[in-house]
Amino acid sequence: LVTIGKNAFKGGTLAETITVPASVETCIGLNGTKKLILAEGRTEINSQLLKGVTSIEELILPRTLTKISGTRVFEDCTNVKELFLPNTIESVACAYTDGYGYDGAFSDCSINKIIFEDGWEVIPSYMFYGYKNGKLQEVVLPDSVKTIGSYAFMSAGIQSLRLPVNLKTVGGNAFYLCNKLEKVTVPAGLHDLKTTIDGIFGGCNLKTVEIEDGITRIPEYMFDGAGIEELILPDTVTIIGSYAFAHTDITSLKLPQNITFLGAYAFYDCKNLEKVTIPATVQMETVGFAAFCNCPKMCVEFETGTTVIPEGLFEGGDIQAVIIPDTVKEIGARAFYGCKDIKTANLPEGLEKIG
């Protein structure tokens, strides 16, 4: 059996659940059933298999499936709310890859929830490009995922996201223009993540970023242009990469107690940043140029107990006021170099050295 034609069951009543043999390539004649089970043994789903079968509310993919080929494969599955993708899938037709142009397997898909089975390691670039705008509301990514490709979830309507703990590489703009995404959680076990100059969450309107205690490094460009109203950095963070939080909407910031490296332009162009607090224990080893440049509302407070203001900490920064406690003994070279907008500052009586 290869084809189940449009009028195959005309005048009859279809069962609510139907299992489709692996040999079938077109099953438009099954429109009217509620649950479609694709039988084990099927290795590929093409563009024609589900065309016209708009009635189904539940779709079960076989564990023998290795390939989803062609474009707009799930376009007519308008009543399916959730889809489970088995980890046996090795190839998915994606937009801009393998000659597929603007369309991929999930183009014009409207399924609300996608669940990746544990065992998936790579989410291909552009996998969900062209999805019906805002329809993809929830994605479950297992910790087995190591790579998320460029633009993989562009314009998805997901509202919250927890990054997989074993994630190693994220392509540029992987979650670009996910403007309903409000919260991102960075799990404690996430280490050695590589990002690109294009960032990950550009064009998003994040409200909260939860970075779990145990994280030691925030990669460069990770949240560049991501919105972000609230940011709490755990004291386990020692490295903040270049442009990591540039162009965001944060209003206040307390640097982690154990930070040793602050990359260039790490908080560049954070126009709403009003207060930066520097813990007394901070012993910065490396500070990149203009880490706080173009933050026109910024006031800086060093906590009581601070003895040394690190070299180059606010070089090229836009500071309105700075509070230096009496405990400070040394101000490192270029700590405030180029901060031409400082209106108020105090030098403690016990100050012994200015670099």
Side-chain angles (χ1 to χ4, degrees):
L1 182 63
V2 176
T3 301
I4 302 176
K6 186 174 183 179
N7 298 315
F9 295 96
K10 186 176 182 180
T13 302
L14 286 171
E16 287 199 358
T17 301
I18 294 179
T19 299
V20 180
S23 59
V24 172
E25 296 178 1
T26 304
C27 56
I28 190 172
L30 298 181
N31 190 34
T33 192
K34 299 295 184 185
K35 181 177 180 179
L36 208 62
I37 301 173
L38 303 184
E40 297 298 318
R42 178 181 298 276
T43 59
E44 182 177 355
I45 298 176
N46 60 29
S47 298
Q48 298 303 312
L49 180 64
L50 301 170
K51 288 297 182 186
V53 192
T54 59
S55 62
I56 56 173
E57 298 176 359
E58 186 176 358
L59 175 64
I60 307 298
L61 303 182
R63 299 198 58 76
T64 51
L65 188 65
T66 60
K67 186 176 184 180
I68 301 176
S69 63
T71 61
R72 303 173 185 266
V73 173
F74 303 99
E75 179 181 14
D76 289 341
C77 298
T78 53
N79 292 304
V80 176
K81 303 300 182 186
E82 179 177 306
L83 183 64
F84 180 85
L85 298 178
N87 60 24
T88 54
I89 297 173
E90 299 172 353
S91 173
V92 179
C94 299
Y96 296 112
T97 62
D98 301 323
Y100 284 104
Y102 291 102
D103 292 331
F106 286 90
S107 294
D108 275 335
C109 181
S110 57
I111 298 171
N112 299 138
K113 182 178 181 179
I114 299 291
I115 303 170
F116 290 88
E117 184 183 18
D118 188 30
W120 272 82
E121 293 190 358
V122 177
I123 311 298
S125 295
Y126 297 97
M127 182 170 180
F128 296 101
Y129 184 89
Y131 216 91
K132 282 193 175 178
N133 194 32
K135 288 293 185 179
L136 183 53
Q137 297 171 5
E138 185 177 356
V139 174
V140 179
L141 296 174
D143 283 335
S144 56
V145 171
K146 296 179 180 178
T147 301
I148 298 176
S150 299
Y151 295 95
F153 295 96
M154 178 180 173
S155 299
I158 52 179
Q159 298 176 13
S160 65
L161 173 70
R162 179 182 174 85
L163 295 175
V165 72
N166 292 308
L167 191 62
K168 300 298 182 186
T169 305
V170 181
N173 293 313
F175 295 90
Y176 182 61
L177 290 179
C178 291
N179 50 32
K180 293 184 180 179
L181 184 58
E182 295 186 352
K183 181 179 180 180
V184 171
T185 300
V186 183
L190 185 62
H191 299 295
D192 302 322
L193 179 63
K194 295 181 180 179
T195 56
T196 74
I197 193 172
D198 293 317
I200 301 174
F201 299 100
C204 293
N205 296 308
L206 295 179
K207 295 187 183 300
T208 304
V209 171
E210 181 182 350
I211 300 173
E212 295 184 349
D213 193 41
I215 285 290
T216 58
R217 173 178 167 268
I218 310 298
E220 58 184 14
Y221 298 98
M222 185 166 185
F223 291 101
D224 186 6
I228 307 179
E229 295 179 5
E230 182 181 1
L231 174 65
I232 299 176
L233 297 172
D235 287 331
T236 53
V237 171
T238 59
I239 297 172
I240 298 177
S242 299
Y243 290 92
F245 296 100
H247 307 99
T248 57
D249 298 325
I250 57 175
T251 58
S252 64
L253 170 70
K254 182 175 182 178
L255 288 180
Q257 291 185 6
N258 298 306
I259 188 169
T260 58
F261 180 95
L262 185 62
Y265 299 97
F267 294 92
Y268 174 72
D269 202 35
C270 293
K271 295 185 183 299
N272 296 322
L273 183 57
E274 296 180 354
K275 183 178 181 181
V276 176
T277 303
I278 313 297
T281 56
V282 166
Q283 295 183 349
M284 205 83 70
E285 296 175 3
T286 304
V287 179
F289 178 73
F292 292 95
C293 182
N294 205 27
C295 302
K297 300 178 181 179
M298 186 173 62
C299 296
V300 177
E301 179 179 355
F302 291 88
E303 291 185 340
T304 300
T306 301
T307 58
V308 177
I309 295 178
E311 179 178 327
L313 182 56
F314 289 101
E315 182 177 3
D318 296 289
I319 300 176
Q320 298 297 308
V322 58
I323 299 174
I324 302 175
D326 291 336
T327 53
V328 169
K329 303 295 184 184
E330 178 181 344
I331 298 177
R334 306 186 324 280
F336 299 100
Y337 180 79
C339 298
K340 60 184 183 299
D341 295 324
I342 294 180
K343 294 180 175 62
T344 60
N346 62 295
L347 295 178
E349 290 184 4
L351 188 63
E352 298 174 355
K353 180 180 179 182
I354 297 178

